[in-house]
Every structure is written in C-alpha cells, then in structure tokens.
Amino acid sequence: MKIEDKFAELKERNEKALIAYVCAGDPSSEATKEIVNALVKGGADIVELGLPFSDPVADGPTIQAASTRALEAGMNPDLYFEMAASIKENVPLVCMTYYNLIYKRGNEKFARDCAEAGITGIIVPDLPAEEADELHAACKQNGVDLIFLITPVTTGKRMEKNLEKTSGFVYIVSRLGVTGERVDVAESTKNILSRIDTTVPKAVGFGISNGQQAAEVIKAGADAVIVGSAFVNIIASGENVNERVEKLASELKKSCR
Amino acid sequence: MKKSMYGKFGGQFVPEVLMPALTELEEAYERYKDDREFLKELDYYMKEFAGRETPLYFAKNLSEKYGIKIYLKREDLVHGGAHKLNNTLGQALLAKYMGKKRLIAETGAGQHGTATAMAAANMGFESEVYMGAKDVIRQHMNVYRMELMGTKVNAVESGSKTLKDAINEAFRDWVTNVENTHYLIGSVVGSHPYPMIVRDFQSVIGKEVKDQIMEKEGRYPDSIIACAGGGSNAMGIFYPFIEDKEVKLFPVEAGGKEMRTTEKEALHSASLCVGEEGILQGAHTLILQDKYGQILESSSISAGLDYSGVGPELAYLADIGRITPCYANDDEALEAFYELSRLEGIIPALESSHAIAYLMKMAKMGKLGELGDLVVINLSGRGDKDLETVFKLKEEESKEDCL
C-alpha cells in the first residue's frame, strides 16, 4: 500500500497516523512478523521496518541493542526483503536503514527490491539530501518514497531542499539527540512544526513513548507520530510481547483519532 | 567535483541534525585559516606549548645496518608524545574562535584523547572523551593522564568496544549537544570538512621535513614511510610532497595477525590495502565490510591503527596511484619496536613501529632498492603508552617457552 493512499484514507476519517518502528529480525524473522501483526491490530497505520546495521550512529542504545540482536540472529538484507514480502498486513511498510547497506547493494537494486517486497518508503538517517541524488532517482523510478528528515536546527535553504525532495511524509526530529524514550515532549516540537511549510504529511518522531505525548504532538499540528524505542523496549523484555505491543499501539492510536 | 570530495571519495554522510554544524565548521575554518591573529596564536601554541619544530633525526645506526640513509621525523617529541597535539591545538583554537564551550573526542590508543585533554585544559574547555572499553583496559595509563587533566573519559561498551564504537558514541553526544560542543575528530576521517582540517593542521610535519631535508641533504627524500590507521600522521607528512612526484609515499597499515577475514571480523586493519568502497562514519571511503555492507571489526596490536576505515583522501591518493599502500603485521611491528629501541635508544609507539617494520620487511625481501637511498620515516609517537602491552606479550611468550 502506498503511503499517500494511507494518509488520504486517514484524512477521510479525520484521523492522524500512528507510525510504529520495529527492528526486523529482533529477536527473529518469525517474531517480527507476529509483532507487525500485533502492531496493526492495535492500530498502527504505517510500519517502519528497521534493516539492522552494525554501526547505527543516529540511534540510541535501545535501537542499537535491537540491531545487534537482529544481526546476531542472522538478519541480512536478503532475508529482510524475503520477510517483508511475506507480510500481508494492509499497511504501508517503510524501510529504515543506513546508507552503506544501500550503497553496497546498489541504489537501483535496493529501490527495486523494496518495490518488489512491498516496501513503499525508505528512510536513511545518514543520507542528507546533498548526497542522495542517486538513491532519489532510483526511488522515483521504482515508485518508492524517499523520506527526508527535518530537525530543530534545519533552516533556510536546507529546509526548502529537504521538503522539496521528500515524499510520502517528512520525518520531523522533534529534538536534538538520538532515538530513545524521553519524559517530556519538547517545546521545540511546536516551534519546528510552525516553521514547516509543506503539503506533505508531517510525522514527528524521537522521544514519543505514550498516549499523552502523542496527543500533545498531534495537538501541535503533526499529521503522524512515530514511535520506536517504546515498542523495541517491550520486544527486548521478551514478556507477553505481542499482547503488550498491541496494547501500546492502541493506546497511542487513541490519541490520533 | 564537489569541494567535499577527493575524486569519488569523501562527502558528508551524517545525520541531518549535524549538517548545520558541518557547515558552521567549514565556514569558520575558511574564515580563520588565513587569519593573521589566528595563525599567530596557533604558531605560539605550536612552538611554546607543543615544542615544535621537531627534529629530523639521522638514524645513524639504523642507516648503517641497512646501508641507506634513514631519517626519523621525531613527532614522538611533541608534547604528550605524539603528533596528535598538532591537530588538537588547531581545532581547539578554532573552536574557541567559534565560541564553543565544550570539546568532545574519541580515542583509540589514547593519544588523541590525551592531546585533546591537553588542549582543553590549556585553553579552558570542558571536555569528554569516548574510548572503547577494550582500549580503556589496554591503555589505562592514558586514561589516567586524561583524567588528571580534567577530562571525563567514557568507556564504550557497545559493538567491538574499540575505536569505531567510540566514534559512534562521540557522534551521538555531538548530535545531542551540537549547539555548544565541538567534536574534535582526531584523524583525517569523517565527513567534510574534517579530513581537510585535520590534514592541514598535521601538514606542519611535512612542511618541516621539506626544509629540514633540504638543509641536511640538499634534496628531497626518495621515499617517505608513515603508519596509517585513519591516516593523520601519514597525510600530515605526505601532503606537502604530493606534487613532488619523485618522492614515493608509503602508508603502512596494520596487517594484524594475518591478512585474512572471517565472517564477523578482519584479523587486520588494512582497509587501504584490501578494503572495499563504502560509507562509514560520514565519508565514502575504503572500509572493511562483509558482502552486505556490515562493518567488520578490525584487529591490530596497536590500538591506534585498529580501525575499519581510512581517510578518504588516502583512498583517493591510492586510487590514482600517488601513494603505495602496504602493511606490516603484528610480529613485524614488534620486531621493529625492539630493533629501534636497541639500535637508536628510541622506543617507538606500536603504531610507528609498523612504519619501521615496513623498511625492515623490504630489506628482508631484498627490495630495499625500491625505497631508494634516502628515506624519511615518520615516527608518529613514542612507545611509553605501549610498554605494558609489549611487556605482557613477552611474559606470555616466556610462559609458552616453559611449557
């Protein structure tokens, strides 16, 4: 399913989107499929499937640990695409990974593999717009959205360039730092949302872990909230994972209605 | 060609949140690098604090043994015991001009961390250094040195617990505190403008060699040999000679235990010799990686060379054939460590031992002629920090002998 179709569908229902992140292969491919199922049952509208990398510099300890677990369990890009293709939930899947894995596979092949596996968007946290021409062209050709990030310190020309290049949605990093749960939702979220001028849906991530925070972000004008570490923490605990993931998704989704 | 590139290498592959910081740094560097006040102040620090210039020492016993003229560029005599201070003084001063309050750095062997701690203490910065937990153990005296000078040392427990993981953690700190913090990168690695800035501050080594060898020999050397992990001392001594095509340049990488790769790790750190193109820690360069692009752990007896990548400009110079990548393995480096200590009364860092080992290796293979009659070796640091590593190896060896 295409990301823009999902947002159009939500708009008709007057809802905002819940985007959930999990690391593929943590703790196994089979488990990931079940977790995705639970996320969607709970109300996730889009699922970000992390393709684990050995050196994830933009991620905090929670997601780094998940990446390590997944790699140790044998996850690799070939298995990743196989697994993604076998997911039958009717939600857009987005690949989040680091650029070396894409570069090594080849920009064109990576984008094509995404399209064939039913992945309709790609997020690459260490690929700024300045370096993204090849992947951008490959994504366009294969009908895959390349999603760029905006941060509290992105301004002026770079802001325009990133907004011009992004499709599907724009990933707004609500505060400085790496991924991970935070106690509060920063004031900077409101500031940054008010500075962004675009027709592309605005998704806010980094630090959101509960319904109240999600509600604040939605109230500040976001079209979607992105939640990762809170789900990954449940997965890491290994206790009643599917049930608890579904419950958290449904709590978060309530704030999006 | 984009100015951030060296041929197809280089670039700026960093999280979006760091892009403004890179632009700010680049603008500040362009503004101050030729500024008279800045250069005057830097010159003061280099002379009075770091102890430059360093001698170009004629190693008479080594020369006699190998039958060619061998000079050692004595970066081991820079304050702190390694070339690292050339760069940290430059960057710390730049950070001061930029109004930053805090310095962070990563370190492998601890030399760059120590040099950062020195610059920070002297110029009044708050500072934190990230170091792989494995390196904290093997270089604990350097940890103590840093702490003495008021720097907080963070042991990094993730990944392979070495330099590459320390860099990841430093990146994370920078991403979080980018507004008041300068990330003082210690080698010619990372995203533009770092490889250029570090190279420029280190090129004081090569500039001095040019004048010194002219004065002593009336000509440039036939070859220059320098060890290369990230490659800062190598770029520092090579750079002023790049246009002098008659001077051969040899970056010596760590061959580790052997030049072989298992599924998860390389038994060496020779990314320039056998690495493949990829993107690591901000730059498109040569790296040790598996078939999917996962970064392989590297290995070396010297913590300072134990790195899965190499500076993009070195990758470029190798690509166009201007430099000749080579390696020496752990045992060869150790042999050189002993030999220089005994022959010249200079205990080299295990990093620098690789450079000397390459000369010895060429001699053994009867290929010394390829290096010519006049050779300069960059003695990038002294061996005090490595005494314990070598001592332990020796103890283990004698235990094995008894068995």
Side-chain angles (χ1 to χ4, degrees), chain B residues 88 91-96 100-105 115-121 123-130 151-152 173 180-184:
Chain B
T88 59
Q91 280 195 52
L93 193 62
L94 187 60
K96 198 170 120 184
K100 301 283 177 180
K101 302 286 178 233
R102 182 172 174 266
L103 299 178
I104 55 166
T116 301
M118 285 171 177
M123 293 186 201
F125 285 97
E126 188 193 319
S127 63
E128 272 185 58
V129 166
Y130 292 88
T151 289
K152 187 176 172 217
D173 182 319
N180 71 349
T181 298
H182 174 69
Y183 178 14
L184 211 164

Side-chain angles (χ1 to χ4, degrees), chain B residues 142-190:
Chain B
N142 264 342
V143 174
Y144 185 54
R145 287 211 284 175
M146 287 182 255
E147 286 170 351
L148 274 177
M149 290 181 281
T151 289
K152 187 176 172 217
V153 180
N154 300 303
V156 176
E157 298 283 351
S158 58
S160 54
K161 303 180 188 182
T162 60
L163 181 58
K164 133 181 120 60
D165 311 284
I167 295 177
N168 290 343
E169 279 308 314
F171 255 105
R172 294 191 178 110
D173 182 319
W174 199 30
V175 167
T176 311
N177 302 296
V178 63
E179 285 166 315
N180 71 349
T181 298
H182 174 69
Y183 178 14
L184 211 164
I185 289 185
S187 194
V188 287
V189 300

Side-chain angles (χ1 to χ4, degrees), chain A residues 41 90 108 123 232 257:
Chain A
K41 257 208 252 170
N90 191 27
E108 161 62 26
I123 301 170
V232 172
R257 287 202 173 97

Side-chain angles (χ1 to χ4, degrees), chain B residues 37-100:
Chain B
E37 270 309 299
F38 180 84
L39 289 175
K40 207 174 125 195
E41 211 174 328
L42 182 61
D43 192 53
Y44 165 80
Y45 278 109
M46 289 289 206
K47 278 199 182 106
E48 308 292 332
F49 186 64
R52 300 207 73 90
E53 64 180 33
T54 60
L56 182 68
Y57 169 72
F58 177 62
K60 60 180 186 312
N61 299 327
L62 206 61
S63 297
E64 201 172 291
K65 179 167 176 184
Y66 291 100
I68 55 170
K69 281 187 163 174
I70 302 165
Y71 282 86
L72 302 177
K73 180 58 175 168
R74 298 291 306 276
E75 291 301 293
D76 59 316
L77 295 179
V78 173
H79 176 49
H83 71 291
K84 292 291 184 184
L85 191 64
N86 302 328
N87 168 52
T88 59
L89 285 176
Q91 280 195 52
L93 193 62
L94 187 60
K96 198 170 120 184
Y97 275 66
M98 289 166 73
K100 301 283 177 180

Side-chain angles (χ1 to χ4, degrees), chain A residues 28-47:
Chain A
S28 70
S29 294
E30 279 312 305
T32 300
K33 277 194 258 178
E34 286 173 23
I35 291 162
V36 170
N37 179 270
L39 284 168
V40 175
K41 257 208 252 170
D45 300 297
I46 294 172
V47 175

Side-chain angles (χ1 to χ4, degrees), chain B residues 19 41 45 72 75 86 94 135 203 231 247 252 291 337 348 366 373:
Chain B
M19 288 300 286
E41 211 174 328
Y45 278 109
L72 302 177
E75 291 301 293
N86 302 328
L94 187 60
D135 294 332
S203 64
V247 182
V252 187
K291 64 175 177 175
F337 178 89
D373 299 324

